[in-house]
Every structure is written in structure tokens, then in C-alpha cells.
Amino acid sequence: MSIDLETTTPAIGKQKGRGLLPTLYQNVWRWHFYAGIIFAPFLIILALSGSVYLFKPQIEAQLYKDMLTVREVGTTRLAPDQLAAAVRTENPGLSILSFSIPSDAKSTVKMSIVKNEVPTTLYADPYTGRTTGTLDTDKTFTELFKKLHSQLLLSGTLPNRIVELAASWGVVLIVTGLYLWWPRGKFSIWGTILPRLGKRGSRQFWRDMHAVPAFWLSLLILTLILTGLPWSGVMGKGIDNIANSTNTNYPENAFGAGSLESVTLAKDVAEDLPWATENIPVPASAVGGYVRLSLNEVAAIADRQGVIKPYTISMPDGKAGVYTVASADDRPTNNATLHIDQYSGAVLTDVRFADYGIMGKVIMLGIAFHEGKLFGLANQILGLIACLGLILISAGSYVMWRKRAPAGKLGAPNKPRDKKVTIGLLIIMGALGIIMPLVGLSILVVLAIDLLVIRRVPALKRWFSA
Amino acid sequence: MMKKKMTLAGISLLASASLLLGGCQANTSGQDDKGMIPHLTVDLQIPDKLKPGEASRFTILVEENGKPYDEFYKTNFQFWPEDGSSPAVSAEAKLTAPGTYTVTQPASTEGVYRVKFSGVSSEYEIMPSKRFAIGANAIEHLAELEKQSDAAPAAPAAPHH
């Protein structure tokens, strides 16, 4: 198979023939090609679902307007205890698990409740005490896109791992893509930083629609992928472990719940926690025949401790449980996680953004950026541009591939003969595989298939240009 | 000479790296061996036998990490009937021993009551409360209340004056 590199990449024609650089180019191109063919569909799904989920606040404010917004802003708000009592009167048999204090005067109050053993979310008007509605937060419109984004609408661990695998290979695609894009020979603006739009529909046109936007958006897309990885199952856990072992995550003595009497983690008993404090151990309240504090008292403590609204008060879990006040506000710098003795009101733990280590801070800022919350609408628009760009880049690559692929063959770049370069690149890929374990695992699987199947079946060998 | 310079440079580099890393680490200052920040523990003591009309002594022992704490600038005890039938009565707590605050309060008529201690200092704020009963019937009622409160949500705050 002959590959016309000159049409696909400006100035690459001069590197035709034998030599280190053309061989390296050919190898990188093969990795980029196969990774793109396999993972571009997943990246399109992630970009599409992400672009919708970015605008969750605006979408939900419209879809559930009557539930999330009060009809009329009154002069005085009911205190938390009074509002909780009104809700219980209106909905007998209900127990409240958490109570959120909003910052916006127009917002209703969100409560996590259990009614008839079914957990759900209830909203109430803080001026009238009226329940405005209940919502299964797992089944909202935007939650559908969140599930698509994080687990492809499927349940179990495997879909989440596939998403992580695709995102990790997204990093490889960006790195290899930038190498392929890098101008070689005589520099020309056209085809490098500006697309050549003259021959519409040509391979050159689609190559530029793929490579040029990819160059411009590479840093943004890379940032979005990297800021999403803390949520992932394998790499996310690794990031958390590194942050904990270097004491750069959140303040926790001895960095292990095993050193504490309690092994309950904050995420097991509290809601709306910042990512950085999800795994902090929960202390115990001192039991001794005392009466539990009221919601009003806990809210007053939170206010006096300078916790910025909105925040959520999670109820104590059992007699030795604690109240947890958590603020996972859009601005990470407002993050707060307080555990309060349910009887004495003593603040047992108090973790703020300023207390996080460097990794905790960077990850929290990254998560806010990933979700479009760090700097408002501009952040959302930036995220949208990256998502739409990623869809264009991925779709463009498919058109480009279909235009180039000869009949009866995959159209993959030929395998270079220089084994030294191939092995050298494999070592680099292996290093990436160590950083991103699922990438490493998938490389091993691909190598095994290549050695055991593709190379032994001539038809497959031809089809894959192996 | 060169070797000495290299050693000095190495030490300086290590020291700078440690300082930089220290600045990047999570703030764990002031935490105890259980990862908790300094906080107060309390022991609110209610007289064993309370009779209507008789003065009774209510005491609270306050400790900070096992040592008596008496840095409050504001302390008081509040008493009110559990059913909220009358407003809360407030009495200033007196420091009678290190970390020990007391108040002597005449017991009212039979019934279930609540006592709440409020202590505010520049560092801390605590507000523990307990129920107590005056009279035989009230003791039974209190036992019932305690049973119910095990499953109950937040307790109501003191009634307003």
C-alpha cells in the first residue's frame, strides 16, 4: 500500500524515504490511527454528553422551574426547624437525611428524604413552608447525560472503565496528534495554523478540518481530560493515593482511617461533599444522655464558623454520629467540611480549601473547570467550544480515513521496517501506560492479539497493514 | 573546595525543596492523634433527686484535650419545660473550679424540663442540653421521651421569651 503523506501533512513529503524521522513519523501515525479508529466514537459520546451536562444549572432551572424556584420571595424565611416541621406535617412518615441552605433568595430548599423507605429529593418553599415537589435526582434529564458521560448509560464497573480507557487514549491521541501536526520542512501558515478551505470535500480539506482545530484546542481538551480523570476508577484512585501519600490532598492525621476509632468515611454519611474531603474519616459524637442539637442550632454554628452558603447539613447517622456541614459551592475556594458533635455543638473537624495540599487544591479547581463552574458562563462556553471542537475533530478524522482507505483494506499506515524505532516508541507508550494503567493494559492486549493472531493470519496481516 | 561547594549547593537545594513541599502539603497543624482539631468535651451533671420547690445545683465540667477549660467570656444555663408551655429561664453560670461551671436553680413544679449550657469563647462555642424530670409521673414520661427521641430527628430549640 502506498501512503501519500504529502497530502495529509504539509511538508512531510521531504521526509519520504528511509531514515529515523520518517520511520518515527510512520510509527506515531500508526498509533494515532488505531487509537483514533477505536476511541473516536467514545470521545464523540463524551463530548456530546459533556456539552449538555455543562449547562445543567440553566437546563434544570427551566425544566424544574416550579420546583426549584419560589413563586414569590417573601419578607421572612422560615427557620430550618420550622420548615422541616412544615414539610413533615405535609408529608407524614417522612424522615429528613439532609437539609440544604441556599444562597439565592429565590431558591427553594432542597432536602434529601426517605418516604416509605424510598429515598428521594424534596424541595420546599422557605417562605410558605409548602412542598414544591419531589424529584428522583438519579432520573433527571441532565443526570441521563451525566450517566452517558461517566458510564455510557450502562451499569457496573466495565462501562466506567471503558470511559476511562477512552479518555486516557484521548491523551495519547493529543500527544501523537501534536507530533504529527508539528510543521516539518518549510513552514506554511496554511494547513498548520489556518485550514486550507479551497478544495472543499477533498482529503486535504478534511485533514485540515481535523488537524488545525485539534492544534488550537489541544491544550483545552487535554486540560478537560486531565481534570476529569480524578473521578475515574483506576487512575482516580491512583491520584487519590498519591495525594494522600505525599500529604498534598486533605488534612488527615496518619492518612488512614485505620488509625482512627471510626472507619466511616465522610462520603458514607454526608452529602454535597467537596471531592477532596469525601474520604476523610468521620469522628464520633460524645454520647451521654444529651439531647441532639436542632437544625437551627447547627445552621447558626455553620454561619458563625463562616461557612458560605449554599451548604448542606447532613443529619447524624446514629447515636454516635455527627452533623456534617458541607459546602461544595461552585467556587472551590468556598469549600468547607465540618463535623459537629450532635450533642455539644463542638466542631470536631473543619477542613477548608486553604487546608488542602497542593494536589487537593489543583484537583478541586480542575473539577470546577471541568464542570464549567470555575468562572461562570465563560467557563461553560469554553467547555462547549472544546466539546464541539472534539466532535468536529473526531468526525473529520473519520471522513479523512474513509476517503483514504482503499477498497478491501483498513487503510492503516504501513508498518515501518525499522524495528529499533518501533521498539523505542513502544517503550515511550509503555511509560504512558504506567501513568495511565488502562492504556498500558490495552497496549499489552493489542500486542498479544498482534503476535498471536494478526501476524499468523495472512489475510488479517494484509488488512491491518501489519 | 569544589566538592564543598557542591555539597553546600546540594544541601541548599534539598532545603528549598523541603520548604516548597511543606508549603504544598495539607494543613494538619493542631490535629490530635485522631485527626480532630482541638475541641471541647463536656460533662453536664444533673442532680439525682429533684423535688418541686427545692433549689438544685447543675454543673458542667468542660475540658480541652483532657485539661479544664475556663476561657469562656459568656456562659449561661437555660431552663424550660419540654412541652414549651412557658418561656426559657436564663441564669448566669459561675466558674466554681477550673473548667467547672455551676448554677443553683430552684426546681419548678412537676414535669419534664430541659437544661442547656451555652459557653462562648473566642475559640469555641458549645451548647449541650439534657432533659430532666421532677416528680414520679414526669420520670416515666421522660423515659418515654428518651425512647422516642432515639428515632426522632432534630430536637426543638428553646422557646422564645
Side-chain angles (χ1 to χ4, degrees):
Chain A
M1 180 194 166
S2 73
I3 296 164
D4 185 1
L5 295 175
E6 200 164 4
T7 317
T8 52
T9 311
I12 193 63
K14 288 181 182 176
Q15 292 187 29
K16 271 185 180 179
R18 283 168 182 265
L20 186 70
L21 285 178
T23 311
L24 183 63
Y25 184 95
Q26 190 82 355
N27 256 308
V28 173
W29 190 14
R30 269 176 74 82
W31 279 104
H32 190 78
F33 173 85
Y34 281 115
I37 292 283
I38 297 166
F39 295 108
F42 294 101
L43 294 176
I44 290 173
I45 291 171
L46 293 181
L48 190 69
S49 53
S51 62
V52 176
Y53 193 70
L54 268 172
F55 292 90
K56 178 188 174 180
Q58 290 91 336
I59 293 169
E60 296 210 328
Q62 283 305 314
L63 285 178
Y64 311 111
K65 194 177 177 182
D66 292 341
M67 201 184 299
L68 305 181
T69 317
V70 298
R71 278 188 190 167
E72 196 179 341
V73 176
T75 48
T76 48
R77 296 170 70 92
L78 292 175
D81 281 319
Q82 279 66 48
L83 183 58
V87 165
R88 284 194 197 99
T89 309
E90 198 179 342
N91 306 273
L94 162 154
S95 67
I96 298 170
L97 303 179
S98 77
F99 189 100
S100 297
I101 311 273
S103 57
D104 185 358
K106 291 178 186 168
S107 295
T108 52
V109 170
K110 185 180 95 172
M111 296 175 219
S112 285
I113 61 153
V114 176
K115 192 178 179 185
N116 303 325
E117 297 181 3
V118 180
T120 188
T121 306
L122 178 145
Y123 293 86
D125 186 328
Y127 302 101
T128 63
R130 189 179 60 86
T131 300
T132 56
T134 56
L135 190 63
D136 188 342
T137 44
D138 282 343
K139 290 176 183 164
T140 59
F141 177 74
T142 49
E143 195 62 23
L144 186 79
F145 286 89
K146 187 184 173 186
K147 277 186 182 160
L148 179 62
H149 195 71
S150 60
Q151 54 198 64
L152 308 171
L153 292 179
L154 302 167
S155 53
T157 311
L158 184 65
N160 180 267
R161 299 293 183 269
I162 292 172
V163 169
E164 182 179 346
L165 184 68
S168 302
W169 273 101
V171 175
V172 177
L173 280 166
I174 291 169
V175 174
T176 53
L178 280 173
Y179 177 81
L180 298 174
W181 165 87
W182 191 262
R184 290 164 179 82
K186 194 181 174 187
F187 177 76
S188 168
I189 287 176
W190 300 103
T192 309
I193 54 176
L194 289 175
R196 293 164 290 190
L197 303 174
K199 297 174 188 171
R200 293 197 176 218
S202 66
R203 271 172 58 191
Q204 186 188 70
F205 172 85
W206 283 107
R207 179 266 166 202
D208 285 7
M209 291 310 289
H210 171 76
V212 176
F215 155 68
W216 283 110
L217 296 174
S218 56
L219 191 63
L220 185 58
I221 295 171
L222 186 66
T223 307
L224 282 173
I225 293 175
L226 294 179
T227 52
L229 284 174
W231 279 296
S232 62
V234 178
M235 213 176 155
K237 205 175 171 186
I239 292 169
D240 198 38
N241 287 341
I242 292 170
N244 287 346
S245 59
T246 53
N247 190 12
T248 53
N249 198 4
Y250 44 80
E252 180 201 344
N253 192 60
F255 302 100
S259 65
L260 299 174
E261 286 170 11
S262 161
V263 289
T264 308
L265 302 178
K267 66 182 177 187
D268 299 329
V269 294
E271 296 181 27
D272 294 336
L273 289 162
W275 177 88
T277 59
E278 281 180 351
N279 291 316
I280 59 168
V282 179
S285 292
V287 185
Y290 296 94
V291 180
R292 184 190 284 186
L293 296 179
S294 68
L295 270 173
N296 290 357
E297 288 168 320
V298 177
I301 291 170
D303 292 340
R304 281 192 290 272
Q305 291 290 328
V307 180
I308 295 167
K309 292 171 187 161
Y311 60 78
T312 298
I313 302 170
S314 296
M315 302 299 176
D317 184 25
K319 279 186 176 179
V322 290
Y323 277 107
T324 301
V325 176
S327 172
D329 185 34
D330 291 353
R331 275 163 296 185
T333 45
N334 290 346
N335 278 183
T337 307
L338 281 73
H339 292 307
I340 298 169
D341 186 300
Q342 64 167 309
Y343 305 112
S344 69
V347 178
L348 304 176
T349 49
D350 184 350
V351 185
R352 309 291 174 114
F353 182 81
D355 298 319
Y356 300 165
I358 187 73
M359 276 186 78
K361 281 176 182 159
V362 169
I363 290 167
M364 285 313 299
L365 291 169
I367 285 174
F369 177 72
H370 190 94
E371 292 188 318
K373 293 175 175 176
L374 193 59
F375 43 92
L377 186 63
N379 192 168
Q380 288 176 307
I381 290 170
L382 209 56
L384 181 66
I385 290 169
C387 289
L388 296 179
L390 186 54
I391 294 169
L392 173 72
I393 294 161
S394 306
S397 69
Y398 267 89
V399 178
M400 193 168 66
W401 166 50
R402 291 318 308 160
K403 278 185 172 288
R404 203 191 62 239
K409 288 188 86 175
L410 181 64
N414 278 342
K415 191 173 182 179
R417 300 287 167 225
D418 190 335
K419 284 192 175 176
K420 279 183 189 170
V421 175
T422 306
I423 292 167
L425 193 65
L426 204 58
I427 291 169
I428 296 171
M429 293 300 291
L432 281 173
I434 291 168
I435 299 167
M436 296 176 286
L438 291 186
V439 168
L441 193 67
S442 58
I443 289 173
L444 289 177
V445 171
V446 167
L447 285 178
I449 293 171
D450 185 37
L451 280 171
L452 300 174
V453 183
I454 296 172
R455 287 189 191 191
R456 289 163 193 240
V457 182
L460 283 177
K461 197 174 174 182
R462 267 197 309 279
W463 197 71
F464 281 106
S465 308
Chain B
M1 188 67 182
M2 188 67 178
K3 200 176 175 184
K4 201 175 174 183
K5 274 186 180 174
M6 290 283 280
T7 312
L8 271 172
I11 291 168
S12 311
L13 198 69
L14 273 173
S16 312
S18 322
L19 276 173
L20 191 70
L21 195 66
C24 294
Q25 290 188 327
N27 174 23
T28 54
S29 58
Q31 291 183 359
D32 65 12
D33 59 352
K34 291 178 182 174
M36 290 193 271
I37 56 172
H39 63 276
L40 301 180
T41 50
V42 296
D43 180 11
L44 180 57
Q45 297 171 350
I46 292 168
D48 286 341
K49 287 174 186 173
L50 290 157
K51 287 181 183 172
E54 279 183 14
S56 303
R57 189 181 160 95
F58 293 83
T59 304
I60 187 164
L61 310 176
V62 186
E63 288 185 340
E64 182 194 35
N65 295 336
K67 290 176 184 167
Y69 182 85
D70 45 28
E71 302 291 320
F72 293 119
Y73 61 78
K74 192 178 162 190
T75 52
N76 77 329
F77 283 94
Q78 275 183 298
F79 298 86
W80 70 91
E82 187 65 19
D83 61 6
S85 56
S86 59
V89 175
S90 194
E92 196 181 334
K94 285 181 182 167
L95 184 68
T96 51
T100 306
Y101 293 86
T102 58
V103 70
T104 303
Q105 184 73 6
S108 312
T109 52
E110 285 196 10
V112 176
Y113 293 86
R114 182 92 69 88
V115 55
K116 177 180 174 184
F117 172 80
S118 299
V120 184
S121 72
S122 57
E123 305 157 288
Y124 303 114
E125 181 183 14
I126 50 167
M127 52 191 83
S129 71
K130 276 186 176 178
R131 294 190 183 97
F132 63 92
I134 301 175
N137 290 337
I139 289 171
E140 278 179 28
H141 180 47
L142 177 59
E144 273 302 308
L145 273 178
E146 297 290 347
K147 253 188 210 172
Q148 287 169 15
S149 69
D150 283 349
H160 293 290
H161 290 277

